[in-house]
Short mmCIF file of all heavy atoms in Angstrom, two decimals:
data_model
loop_
_atom_site.label_atom_id
_atom_site.label_comp_id
_atom_site.label_asym_id
_atom_site.label_seq_id
_atom_site.Cartn_x
_atom_site.Cartn_y
_atom_site.Cartn_z
N ALA T 120 -32.77 63.32 35.76
CA ALA T 120 -33.27 63.54 37.10
C ALA T 120 -34.30 62.53 37.57
O ALA T 120 -34.10 61.87 38.58
CB ALA T 120 -33.82 64.95 37.21
N LEU T 124 -33.66 59.55 40.68
CA LEU T 124 -34.45 59.53 41.90
C LEU T 124 -35.34 58.29 41.93
O LEU T 124 -35.52 57.66 42.96
CB LEU T 124 -35.28 60.81 41.98
CG LEU T 124 -35.76 61.15 43.37
CD1 LEU T 124 -34.59 61.21 44.33
CD2 LEU T 124 -36.48 62.48 43.37
N ALA T 211 11.89 26.80 36.32
CA ALA T 211 12.93 27.51 37.07
C ALA T 211 13.07 26.94 38.47
O ALA T 211 13.85 27.42 39.28
CB ALA T 211 12.60 28.98 37.15
N VAL T 240 -25.72 23.65 45.81
CA VAL T 240 -26.38 22.66 46.67
C VAL T 240 -26.78 23.30 47.99
O VAL T 240 -27.90 23.13 48.48
CB VAL T 240 -25.42 21.46 46.91
CG1 VAL T 240 -25.87 20.63 48.09
CG2 VAL T 240 -25.35 20.61 45.67
N GLU T 347 -16.31 26.63 22.83
CA GLU T 347 -16.50 26.48 24.27
C GLU T 347 -15.57 27.42 25.03
O GLU T 347 -15.96 28.06 26.01
CB GLU T 347 -16.27 25.01 24.68
CG GLU T 347 -16.57 24.69 26.14
CD GLU T 347 -17.82 25.39 26.72
OE1 GLU T 347 -18.88 25.45 26.05
OE2 GLU T 347 -17.71 25.90 27.84
N GLN T 351 -16.59 30.45 27.48
CA GLN T 351 -16.06 30.51 28.85
C GLN T 351 -15.44 31.89 29.10
O GLN T 351 -15.67 32.51 30.14
CB GLN T 351 -14.97 29.44 29.00
CG GLN T 351 -15.09 28.64 30.26
CD GLN T 351 -14.10 27.49 30.30
OE1 GLN T 351 -12.99 27.60 29.78
NE2 GLN T 351 -14.50 26.41 30.92
N PHE T 352 -14.68 32.35 28.13
CA PHE T 352 -14.05 33.67 28.21
C PHE T 352 -15.13 34.75 28.34
O PHE T 352 -15.06 35.64 29.18
CB PHE T 352 -13.23 33.88 26.93
CG PHE T 352 -12.66 35.26 26.75
CD1 PHE T 352 -11.48 35.63 27.37
CD2 PHE T 352 -13.30 36.19 25.93
CE1 PHE T 352 -10.95 36.90 27.19
CE2 PHE T 352 -12.77 37.45 25.74
CZ PHE T 352 -11.59 37.81 26.37
N HIS T 357 -18.28 38.76 31.17
CA HIS T 357 -19.66 39.20 31.38
C HIS T 357 -19.96 39.35 32.87
O HIS T 357 -20.49 40.37 33.31
CB HIS T 357 -20.59 38.15 30.76
CG HIS T 357 -22.04 38.53 30.73
ND1 HIS T 357 -22.55 39.43 29.82
CD2 HIS T 357 -23.09 38.14 31.50
CE1 HIS T 357 -23.85 39.56 30.01
NE2 HIS T 357 -24.20 38.81 31.05
N VAL T 404 -21.14 48.05 19.81
CA VAL T 404 -20.19 47.14 20.46
C VAL T 404 -19.34 46.55 19.34
O VAL T 404 -19.85 45.93 18.42
CB VAL T 404 -20.93 46.00 21.20
CG1 VAL T 404 -19.93 45.04 21.83
CG2 VAL T 404 -21.86 46.56 22.25
N GLU T 409 -15.74 36.09 16.31
CA GLU T 409 -16.09 34.90 17.10
C GLU T 409 -16.78 35.28 18.41
O GLU T 409 -17.50 34.48 19.00
CB GLU T 409 -14.85 34.03 17.38
CG GLU T 409 -13.64 34.73 17.92
CD GLU T 409 -12.72 35.27 16.81
OE1 GLU T 409 -13.21 35.60 15.72
OE2 GLU T 409 -11.49 35.37 17.06
N GLY T 421 -34.98 44.48 26.99
CA GLY T 421 -35.06 45.84 27.54
C GLY T 421 -35.10 46.82 26.38
O GLY T 421 -34.54 46.57 25.31
N GLY T 432 -15.24 42.93 13.94
CA GLY T 432 -14.03 43.43 13.30
C GLY T 432 -12.83 43.33 14.21
O GLY T 432 -12.94 42.94 15.37
N SER T 491 3.51 47.80 45.99
CA SER T 491 3.86 46.43 46.31
C SER T 491 4.65 45.87 45.13
O SER T 491 4.31 46.14 43.99
CB SER T 491 2.61 45.58 46.47
OG SER T 491 1.52 46.39 46.72
N LEU T 497 1.09 36.88 33.67
CA LEU T 497 0.12 36.60 32.63
C LEU T 497 0.23 37.48 31.41
O LEU T 497 -0.10 37.07 30.31
CB LEU T 497 -1.29 36.83 33.19
CG LEU T 497 -1.82 35.73 34.06
CD1 LEU T 497 -3.08 36.18 34.72
CD2 LEU T 497 -2.05 34.53 33.20
N ASP T 527 -13.88 50.11 43.90
CA ASP T 527 -12.54 49.86 44.43
C ASP T 527 -11.58 49.45 43.33
O ASP T 527 -10.37 49.55 43.45
CB ASP T 527 -12.58 48.68 45.42
CG ASP T 527 -13.13 49.13 46.74
OD1 ASP T 527 -13.12 50.34 46.98
OD2 ASP T 527 -13.56 48.26 47.51
#
Side-chain angles (χ1 to χ4, degrees):
L124 201 54
V240 163
E347 185 40 43
Q351 226 173 33
F352 172 83
H357 188 76
V404 178
E409 50 271 29
S491 340
L497 282 170
D527 282 341

